[in-house]
Amino acid sequence: MSVEVNIDPGRIARTLRLRNGVVARRLAERTARTASIAEREAPGTMGRYISWKVQDGPRGLQGVIVCDHPAVRFVLDGTRPHIIRPRKKGGVLRFEVRGRVVYSAYARHPGTRPNNFLARALRDGR
């Protein structure tokens, strides 16, 4: 008795790239898990702006995590010390210092350190 097996690499590759195939489901699970970690690691309400998807990329399927918060670049990259001025000409800034209301023509912001919560989520989600 003889048995002949033909392996079609093209068919195997197409099966692995199916949108509802095993690989796509595993990729979606890992991407969702990583996005969940990023939501927890994000400062303040920034986690609410995180979404994820699985899409076709140049080398097959890829998981994509997006943060649409307007200040995400300032959090990821940090900021240098800078002066904050009122938006309206002739206006003043109002804020609280030790429970007292203070008015000022400008404020010196010390800057912020980078907080790359997306990279940490990627590292921890593996």
Side-chain angles (χ1 to χ4, degrees):
M1 175 174 171
S2 67
V3 176
E4 184 176 318
V5 177
N6 292 323
I7 297 176
D8 183 1
R11 180 173 254 170
I12 292 172
R14 284 190 301 276
T15 302
L16 292 176
R17 284 192 299 252
L18 287 175
R19 292 299 263 151
N20 295 326
V22 176
V23 173
R25 285 193 306 264
R26 281 286 287 149
L27 181 59
E29 289 170 7
R30 291 183 75 169
T31 305
R33 184 174 61 231
T34 304
S36 174
I37 294 169
E39 288 173 9
R40 286 194 309 268
E41 293 281 326
T45 61
M46 200 168 284
R48 295 184 199 150
Y49 291 84
I50 293 176
S51 61
W52 66 272
K53 61 187 170 191
V54 174
Q55 66 184 23
D56 290 320
R59 298 171 65 200
L61 293 176
Q62 63 184 13
V64 178
I65 299 172
V66 178
C67 183
D68 290 332
H69 192 279
V72 72
R73 292 296 339 159
F74 301 121
V75 171
L76 294 176
D77 297 336
T79 60
R80 296 186 350 201
H82 56 281
I83 294 179
I84 300 172
R85 299 189 187 279
R87 290 184 182 179
K88 293 182 181 179
K89 197 114 171 143
V92 294
L93 299 173
R94 178 188 183 277
F95 49 94
E96 287 188 32
V97 176
R98 298 186 194 118
R100 292 181 35 213
V101 177
V102 177
Y103 297 94
S104 177
Y106 67 93
R108 294 179 191 270
H109 191 284
T112 58
R113 296 177 134 208
N115 177 1
N116 199 341
F117 62 92
L118 291 174
R120 280 196 315 273
L122 181 61
R123 185 190 66 228
D124 296 344
R126 291 181 184 212

